[in-house]
């Protein structure tokens, strides 16, 4: 049974990083002809959500430890431990996001300083996702030590972050609609990232099914099969809905956005569950 | 060259009585579920048709494994707190006052050495009975073995006496962590890997 705290922690952090990256990317997109609102109202809603998410992730990471009171020792081995580096980057990213959120919401500092801090946080977030992936790429853990780990972590970040920004656009406290081209870009990016996740499944399955722990144990074999089917189905249906939405062939596309986001969340949770539950190392 | 203590495991002689495992638990008063030394029962083979006859290819042997106090210990390099330390005598130990119980060392170790103590909230592992060794004694597992299948000492001395085999099925190649252990493999160990042998007592260990 994998640790749900680790599943939650990694997904929440990656969603927060993805959302920050999308926010900064969206800002670079020129507003469309019929735009009635600049992305900064999206920013206010999203950054508040990211701040809460990072706070929750830090609490989850502390309380999943056997000895939470000694958590600060985790920064003691930056020289060789990827886990130490992950904690440092999490604190830097989280600190940057919290400060930037306060600056945006309270109007502190100049706009250029707020933008600089937000972009620096987004870049730190990307480094954090790389370090998170690197942490699992142990030479003794074949199920994790392959290219699928960093690719899937980055894909999950962009997918979940995109979903967070889309949700902010749709359900945030805004009377007006964001630029249509921003929404289109995010939807296309979701399609591409989910496509990457589908393409990774054969690589991941190849590693997972090639182990006696799965082959010999009927229950584990059946569980892996079931989870794989749920993941593939949820990704494929989400892809179909996104594609139809982009082609304009959905009646009332806004109504389909919530089910699409739910399917994306389901796919990511199941994918991460598989990642932890079917971990194996060489040796005994 | 720094001192490096290690174990010699004579898998050929091991009868699988688990005295070593019990002596270790007793000496260190280990809680339920924590086993610094474990005896793995490797089993495989079956029956093979040989012309008109059926020939048994059954294989089985025991492998007693604890921490191998690796020369290049992956647990030490991945530990975020520096709680995992390699001493001047080559013994790898955990400082319980620094360990945060993150389990990362357990994921990384290919020998299953770091074991979680639920009550204390920290990882624990074989320390080669450092207190006994310091006072000229032997580790509890070595002292308890009725078949003299275990020995300990300077790694160089063990290698001179018994050779250089540091990996035997189902253990990984010695290149990753350079374990301070010498094996006398069971005669079936060579074909165990090729014939898809398994650990028969996975639930127990």
């Amino acid at each position: 049974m994998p640790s749900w705290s680790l599943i939650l922690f990694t997904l929440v952090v990656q969603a927060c990083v993805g959302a920050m990256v999308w926010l900064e990317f969206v800002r670079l997109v020129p507003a469309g002809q019929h735009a009635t609102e600049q992305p900064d109202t999206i920013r206010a809603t999203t950054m508040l959500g990211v701040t809460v998410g990072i706070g929750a992730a830090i609490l989850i990471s502390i309380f999943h430890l056997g000895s939470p009171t000694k958590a600060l020792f985790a920064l003691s081995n930056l020289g060789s431990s990827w886990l130490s580096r992950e904690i440092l980057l999490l604190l830097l990213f989280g600190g940057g996001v919290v400060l930037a959120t306060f600056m945006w919401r309270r109007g502190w500092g100049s706009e250029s300083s707020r933008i600089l801090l937000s972009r620096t946080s987004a870049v730190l977030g990307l480094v954090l996702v790389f370090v998170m992936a690197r942490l699992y790429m142990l030479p003794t853990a074949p199920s994790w030590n392959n290219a699928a780990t960093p690719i899937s972590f980055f894909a999950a970040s962009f997918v979940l972050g995109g979903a967070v920004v889309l949700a902010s656009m749709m359900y945030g406290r805004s009377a007006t609609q964001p630029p249509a081209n921003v929404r289109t870009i995010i939807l296309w990016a979701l399609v591409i990232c989910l496509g990457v996740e589908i393409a990774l499944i054969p690589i991941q399955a190849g590693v997972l099914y090639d182990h006696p722990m799965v082959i010999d144990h009927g229950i584990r074999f059946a569980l892996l099969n079931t989870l794989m089917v749920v993941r593939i189905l949820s990704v494929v249906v989400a892809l179909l809905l996104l594609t139809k939405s982009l082609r304009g062939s959905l009646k009332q596309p806004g109504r389909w956005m919530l089910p699409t986001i739910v399917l994306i969340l389901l796919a990511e949770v199941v994918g991460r569950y598989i990642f932890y539950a079917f971990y194996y190392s060489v040796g005994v | 060259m720094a001192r490096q203590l290690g174990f010699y495991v004579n898998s050929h002689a091991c009868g699988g009585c688990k005295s070593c495992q019990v002596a270790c638990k007793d000496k260190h008063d280990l809680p339920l579920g924590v086993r610094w030394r474990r005896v793995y029962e490797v089993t495989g083979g079956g029956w093979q048709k040989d012309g008109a006859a059926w020939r048994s290819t059954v294989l089985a042997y025991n492998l007693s494994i604890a921490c191998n106090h690796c020369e290049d210990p992956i647990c030490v390099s991945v530990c975020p707190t520096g709680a995992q330390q390699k001493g001047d005598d080559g013994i790898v130990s955990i400082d319980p006052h620094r360990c945060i119980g993150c389990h990362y060392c357990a994921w990384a170790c290919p020998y299953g050495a770091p074991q979680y103590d639920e009550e204390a909230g920290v990882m624990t592992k074989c320390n080669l009975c450092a207190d006994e060794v310091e006072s000229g004694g032997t580790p509890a597992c070595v002292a308890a073995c009725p078949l003299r299948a275990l020995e300990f000492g300077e790694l160089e001395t063990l290698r001179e006496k018994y050779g250089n085999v540091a990996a035997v099925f189902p253990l990984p190649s010695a290149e990753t962590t350079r374990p301070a252990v010498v094996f006398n493999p069971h005669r079936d160990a060579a074909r165990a890997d090729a014939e898809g042998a398994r650990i028969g007592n996975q639930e127990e260990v």
Side-chain angles (χ1 to χ4, degrees), chain B residues 13-188:
Chain B
C14 179
C17 70
K18 301 185 177 75
S19 296
C20 51
Q21 192 174 304
V22 174
C24 175
K25 276 190 82 85
D26 185 39
K27 150 89 179 155
H28 298 283
D29 199 17
L30 300 180
L32 188 70
V34 175
R35 285 172 289 268
W36 288 358
R37 181 169 282 284
R38 300 156 309 281
V39 179
Y40 293 90
E41 297 171 7
V42 181
T43 62
W47 292 92
Q48 203 171 44
K49 196 160 191 198
D50 191 3
W54 285 91
R55 191 165 52 85
S56 167
T57 60
V58 168
L59 65 88
Y61 60 89
N62 302 293
L63 203 55
S64 175
I65 297 292
C67 173
N68 289 323
H69 304 279
C70 302
E71 293 182 85
D72 191 7
I74 193 166
C75 56
V76 172
S77 62
V78 302
C79 175
T81 67
Q84 296 264 14
Q85 299 275 350
K86 189 161 177 69
D88 295 335
D89 45 13
I91 296 176
V92 176
S93 56
I94 298 178
D95 177 356
H97 302 295
R98 284 194 80 83
C99 178
I100 55 175
C102 68
H103 297 248
Y104 196 26
C105 52
W107 289 350
C109 174
Y111 302 105
Q115 305 244 328
Y116 185 61
D117 181 340
E118 192 91 43
E119 202 175 312
V122 295
M123 304 305 293
T124 63
K125 63 180 279 302
C126 158
N127 63 358
L128 222 143
C129 293
D131 54 337
E132 295 287 342
V133 171
E134 220 167 87
S135 56
T138 54
C141 53
V142 174
C145 180
L147 295 169
R148 296 289 177 262
L150 291 174
E151 274 183 44
F152 98 104
E154 295 284 349
L155 184 62
E156 277 310 305
T157 312
L158 294 174
R159 282 178 176 161
E160 279 165 23
K161 273 172 81 177
Y162 300 113
N164 254 331
V165 179
V168 59
F169 183 84
L171 303 180
S173 154
E175 283 167 23
T176 314
T177 62
R178 300 198 297 137
V181 66
V182 175
F183 291 104
N184 178 22
H186 188 270
R187 61 167 182 252
D188 289 339

Side-chain angles (χ1 to χ4, degrees), chain A residues 24-192:
Chain A
E24 292 317 307
F25 182 77
V26 157
R27 205 185 160 76
L28 301 173
V29 179
Q33 200 183 347
H34 304 293
T36 55
E37 184 188 34
Q38 289 304 307
D40 281 355
T41 49
I42 306 166
R43 177 188 291 280
T45 314
T46 309
M47 284 185 75
L48 189 62
V50 170
T51 300
V52 172
I54 282 294
I58 290 174
L59 285 177
I60 292 169
S61 73
I62 290 173
F63 287 103
H64 104 274
L65 298 175
S67 301
T69 52
K70 293 179 270 178
L72 272 182
F73 281 136
L75 292 166
S76 307
N77 196 8
L78 293 166
S80 71
S81 172
W82 287 99
L83 184 50
S84 266
R85 295 167 190 164
E86 182 200 49
I87 302 299
L88 177 67
L89 275 156
L90 176 67
L91 293 177
L92 290 175
F93 171 70
V97 166
V98 170
L99 186 59
T101 305
F102 273 100
M103 287 174 77
W104 281 107
R105 292 184 77 87
R106 299 278 166 108
W108 293 345
S110 63
E111 187 172 358
S112 58
S113 64
R114 282 179 257 162
I115 291 172
L116 179 68
L117 184 58
S118 299
R119 287 192 183 157
T120 308
S121 302
V123 171
L124 281 172
L126 289 174
V127 180
L128 169 60
V129 173
F130 170 76
V131 170
M132 285 176 98
R134 195 62 190 75
L135 185 162
Y136 292 99
M137 294 171 76
L138 297 162
T140 51
S143 60
W144 290 342
N145 191 22
N146 53 67
T149 299
I151 297 172
S152 63
F153 274 31
F154 276 107
S157 302
F158 295 132
V159 165
L160 290 169
V164 169
V165 175
L166 278 180
S168 300
M169 284 177 172
M170 299 189 59
Y171 305 106
R173 284 189 301 169
S174 170
T176 50
Q177 285 301 304
N181 53 351
V182 166
R183 186 174 164 277
T184 308
I185 289 172
I186 295 179
L187 289 180
W188 269 114
L190 288 184
V191 169
I192 293 167

